[in-house]
Amino acid sequence: MSRRDPNRKDPNRRDLLHGTALAIAAAVVPIGPARAAPVTIRLGYGEVPGDISPLLFEKTEILRHYGRSYTVEPIYFQGTSVALQAMAARELDVSYIAFSSLGLAILNGGLDLKVIADVAGWSSKGHQGPEYLVRADSGIATLADLRGKVLATSARGSGFHYAMLANLKKAGLVEKTDFTVVEVRLPAMEATLREKKVDLVTATPPFLQTMERNGGVRRLFRPEDAMGEVQSLVHVARAEFLREQRAAVVDFLEDSIRALRWFLDPANQTEAAEITARFTKRPASVYQGWVFGRGDFYRDPEKTPDIAALQRNLDTVHDLGVLRRRVEVAPHVDLAPLAEAKARLGTN
């Protein structure tokens, strides 16, 4: 038998009713709407740091909306023509796309894409673009010397491929008739050239700098020799995704600009190179001194694509016979979300 605590005060009926009412009230008082889960943006990207898109979401402390309204799932593709296939299969929402792949996507129909931002440009504002290299002892001195040779590109149908063809067309050479093109991943270009498996390779930062530092190679031509300014890579979104998730896309673009500014700031160059090294699993020394600077591709700090250059580039691909008719790019551009993102940052 238990003993009653003499200091304990037994509740009366009023106390019990009051306590019950408070408990019921606490159970039914609304606590506000539940926050919607962040939208996952499946982002296609290429070789880093040629395409730095995934790096922009590595330093999350400088982002305002990441993890709140959206998250990013980066997915690597060797070439933009392959990424385009993934877009068609609805396996991507936003992707890097070369001017060449964009033209094919527009003409083939059935895939409504909108250009929403810049990724990278070649021969812009004095920055380094791709170079086409030969062995210094190859005896190849002019484009005409490439007749009967084997040339390497990262992927057929890529911007690298068509820039190569545009230059060779100026020299009167035609693929399959006068030379052979094979696909080689950019990191493997140097070994493939030095082992004499190919006669010419496509070289981009950082592989370009490494090849020239190792010596025994020579630059033969550049994309801009035949094409002028090149809006090489743009971000495109599926129009349906853009309509359904516009708010998340605006937040994505706002954070992208914020992060890009940080990466382009010379004061952050050392840390930016370290982030790039961690992502690519290469030594930071590979990137120090040039990445995000003049030795790298040009990136508009507000992610605004050069639509006029993009149109000229598509015209070049049409002239090569790749596109069956001329493509007007303007109807396939939607920069309104980018404009909204820039306005938030006070840059519009």
Side-chain angles (χ1 to χ4, degrees), residues 97-171:
I97 291 291
F99 55 88
S100 49
S101 298
L102 176 63
L104 291 170
I106 293 171
L107 281 187
N108 290 342
L111 181 58
D112 192 1
L113 299 179
K114 298 295 183 184
V115 175
I116 62 171
D118 166 74
V119 175
W122 298 338
S123 70
S124 300
K125 313 294 188 297
H127 284 245
Q128 177 64 59
E131 300 278 349
Y132 295 87
L133 304 185
V134 297
R135 294 185 304 277
D137 62 358
S138 65
I140 298 172
T142 68
L143 274 73
D145 296 330
L146 293 174
R147 189 180 302 275
K149 304 299 184 181
V150 179
L151 319 181
T153 188
S154 60
R156 290 182 177 278
S158 66
F160 296 138
H161 182 205
Y162 292 135
M164 174 191 290
L165 297 186
N167 273 277
L168 291 168
K169 182 181 178 182
K170 287 183 61 177

Side-chain angles (χ1 to χ4, degrees), residues 64 102 105-106 109 113 140 152 184 210 216 222 261 289 314-315 333:
R64 181 168 298 174
L102 176 63
I106 293 171
L113 299 179
I140 298 172
V184 176
T210 300
R222 307 171 299 168
R261 289 177 176 176
L314 287 172
D315 291 344
V333 176

Side-chain angles (χ1 to χ4, degrees), residues 247-265:
V249 172
V250 173
D251 289 347
F252 162 85
L253 291 170
E254 180 189 339
D255 277 351
S256 296
I257 296 172
R258 184 176 286 108
L260 180 59
R261 289 177 176 176
W262 186 91
F263 276 92
L264 295 180
D265 187 341

Side-chain angles (χ1 to χ4, degrees), residues 47-68:
E47 208 70 56
V48 175
D51 176 7
I52 66 167
S53 302
L55 300 184
L56 300 181
F57 306 96
E58 288 290 299
K59 194 171 175 63
T60 55
E61 65 268 27
I62 65 176
L63 307 179
R64 181 168 298 174
H65 305 288
Y66 190 88
R68 295 176 174 84

Side-chain angles (χ1 to χ4, degrees), residues 222-269:
R222 307 171 299 168
E224 53 265 36
D225 294 339
M227 300 181 66
E229 293 285 326
V230 181
Q231 176 62 61
S232 56
L233 299 174
V234 293
H235 267 149
V236 296
R238 290 189 293 108
E240 178 186 16
F241 181 80
L242 193 57
R243 288 192 300 269
E244 295 176 352
Q245 305 295 347
R246 188 182 189 282
V249 172
V250 173
D251 289 347
F252 162 85
L253 291 170
E254 180 189 339
D255 277 351
S256 296
I257 296 172
R258 184 176 286 108
L260 180 59
R261 289 177 176 176
W262 186 91
F263 276 92
L264 295 180
D265 187 341
N268 301 323
Q269 202 281 331

Side-chain angles (χ1 to χ4, degrees), residues 28-51:
V28 300
V29 169
I31 58 175
R35 176 179 290 177
V39 174
T40 298
I41 298 177
R42 296 170 298 174
L43 176 66
Y45 74 95
E47 208 70 56
V48 175
D51 176 7

